[in-house]
Amino acid sequence: MRSMSCCVLGWWAAWPALAAAPSPPSWQPYVVAPSSRHVRPVRVLSVSGDVTHADALLDGHGVAVFKRPPPQAESRWPQGTRIQLPGLKDARGAEHLIDGALASVWQAPARIAGSTPAIDLDTPTAQTLHGMTVRAASGHVLADFSVDARQDGAWKRVASVHGNKQLQVAVTFPRAVTARRWRIDVPVAKNADSARIKLAEIWPGALHDAPPPSVVLDFGKVVVGYPRLHFAAGSTPGTGLRLAFSETRQYLGERSDFTRSDNGDAIVPGTDQVVATTQPRVWVDRHGCTHERKVCDDGLHGFRYLRISLDALPADAPYAKPSGVVRLRDVSLDFTAYLGRPDTYAGWFESSDKALNRYWFDASYTNELITDTFRADDVEPRQANSAFLDGKRVLHDGAKRDRDPYVGDVAVSARTAYLTHGAALGDAARNVLLDLAKHQRVDGWIAPASIRHYTLPLFEYPLWWVVADWDNLRYTGDLAFTRAIYPHLLRLLDGWYPKVADAHGLLHKGLDGTSGYGDYAFLPRTGEVSYYNALYVLALHDAVAMAHALGHDNDATRWTARARHVARAMNARLWDAKAGAYLDSRQGPVRHAQDGNGLAVVAGVASRSRARQALGYLGTHTALPYGHAFMDNNTLLPDGGKRVYAFTSYPEIQARFQVGMTASALREIHALYGWMAHHDPGTTDWEGIGAGGSMYEGGYTSAAHGWSTGVVPLLSNDVLGVTPTGPGFARWTLHPHPGDLKWARGKVPTPHGPIAVHWVQKNARLELGVTVPKGTVARVVLPAAKGSHVVMDGHTAEARWRGHAAGDRGAWVLDRVVPGKHRFRVTAR
């Protein structure tokens, strides 16, 4: 980094016009990653129950002490007590509610929304009670319920509970109540999803158990790795701790926001468990169980917040108990992801807009979190392990889940990796692309990921595999890899996709048994879909580039003709002239999607006029405070007009830059990435945003997702302006989009050495400096009006002017700028 700053700034500083930007480069403070792999929490967020010296957990100086007395002795219902479930046909397991065993639970069956669950207890003789105690199963807190007694032939309300947050809640009656029949009533469920109830026990009498002592630690940002606890001497042997993890405070509950137990055949019941000993020891969270299927841990976690509670699971008895004393000296994390320090950055971006700088480095950190070694115990538990990938570096989709390399995600996150850390992370994408090629189906289809033994049926993801293959070639120049995967490319484009194209040449979801196939959002779309076909055109163009690089000109000619045919058919059949946008599909209610319209522009399907119309339509009909919705109405999904994906916003914003709508592109970046940067957990980029700017799938949502890091290529490729157009940057384009920025500068890594760019605009003048590495040729595009004066290296440049559409100034183009350091100045006359 030091040598780069010296040599680049040496010639920049000699050019007075470029002194408007600060010197030397000040991007290093934006780097987010921790300084080492040993990561500590930064603050104690909250303490409850009997905990002393909780601050000791931050720095290891001192000892935090958790204390909890043994629980109050339990009372039992008289022998012969019966349970009835009025309104529920299935009463299986209800006997567990009064069997005295917390490890055995009853789960209410799925019910019709709006029905009211009730649990009746019928005792042989009348009982006089001063209260009642209800214990929910782990992770299923019963927030609201009431207790009724049957007296004088009618049910009478004797107590109510609202807003409870504890697993065990004791209800004390205002006065003693005598009755033979008792009822626990739960409010009407608003929807079927919230209607599941899971209870462990109901006791007669109010059993006041000491609340679990707990501490919530904040690591300051989302981190990923193996949690580590350092126990001091003096703990009560066998006392159990429970660890719950969350990326956000909103979903930090008694149970983790997501663990492997939420999918597949995992064994961890929502929290990780550890048992204290009398002697000092260091415990590291590893996947597995201490005693067969008891005292189990998930291992690796992606999280910002950690709750540590003295509250052993009932199912872990007799190996763990929920009372005693635990003395903790330290809490930390063994960080496993790629550690992006300033000296590892091969590329960077900086501009006069500090918010944009923050978004670039936040996205880079998000991408570092998902760049990790593929390990069987840390990936998606639904049959996603891969013998080929084990031990290799990959690009997962998310830090906490699914932790499986999905190729659609890789199509974005790989570009981010190339632009931030260059060749150092090139293997992470190639490993994934080659693994999927090795598991190609006989008919040519390529799986989206290793999940479910490479069988998850997604319709368009094989096309993202093609796009990612071309990105690998143009960013890294690895022609040998392209040659190795080329036979798989042929089988995909000339084998499987022609089978699912209709008589018009358009991909038609539903043909050849694809009705049940999904896509990136598992949307129930059918027929001729704009998104699928625009992506098809883009993949064909990228395949043409790879074919030319390998000398397969016949393949290139065939795919070029097919791309043109699909584009013509799209314009003839999917363009909605009334709306001025492409239809999402010819089947079903009329709607217009962000993904299909954005990609239609990026792939060159839309003419310049239609591109501007479509992007204008999206700006008018999908704009929200937190970005652009991926649908213009709710006819496909109930929240279609409120859901925002950075994954589909990326090509739309890219399209805006391409047609000269720079101001709207920057506004959308600020809305989308600004929202995520300023809402918990901050720093990292979310999988999706829902109504009102919420996590679109609640606590299941990944708050650090690689497919949402498109702001890095947007700022490096489009704002700074550097984009490769040939293998390994042998040819590349420099086309900055300044918008209202005063200046920008940065570095883009290439196999031939870094491309350094610095531009400044003031009044009607744009000045730009660039280093063109040896072995490359640049095409420089300078946005300016037709009458502008263009100077290159002190002399009037031989440049050609490229026309413009309304609202776009046009540009001056220099087609072959040779290696060396060059300076440009464009002045309006």
Side-chain angles (χ1 to χ4, degrees), residues 20 351-353 738-744 759-762 766:
S351 75
S352 56
D353 188 331
D740 61 357
L741 299 178
K742 296 178 181 178
W743 58 266
W759 55 254
V760 174
Q761 68 168 352
K762 186 176 182 180
L766 173 68

Side-chain angles (χ1 to χ4, degrees), residues 32-39 221 339 341:
V32 179
S35 58
S36 74
R37 294 199 175 277
H38 185 71
V39 183
K221 54 182 172 282
L339 195 59
R341 297 183 295 258

Side-chain angles (χ1 to χ4, degrees), residues 555-580:
D555 295 337
T557 300
R558 182 174 66 258
W559 291 334
T560 298
R562 192 189 306 174
R564 289 173 179 168
H565 181 77
V566 175
R568 285 195 297 268
M570 271 194 69
N571 281 304
R573 295 180 57 76
L574 290 166
W575 177 254
D576 181 356
K578 183 178 180 181

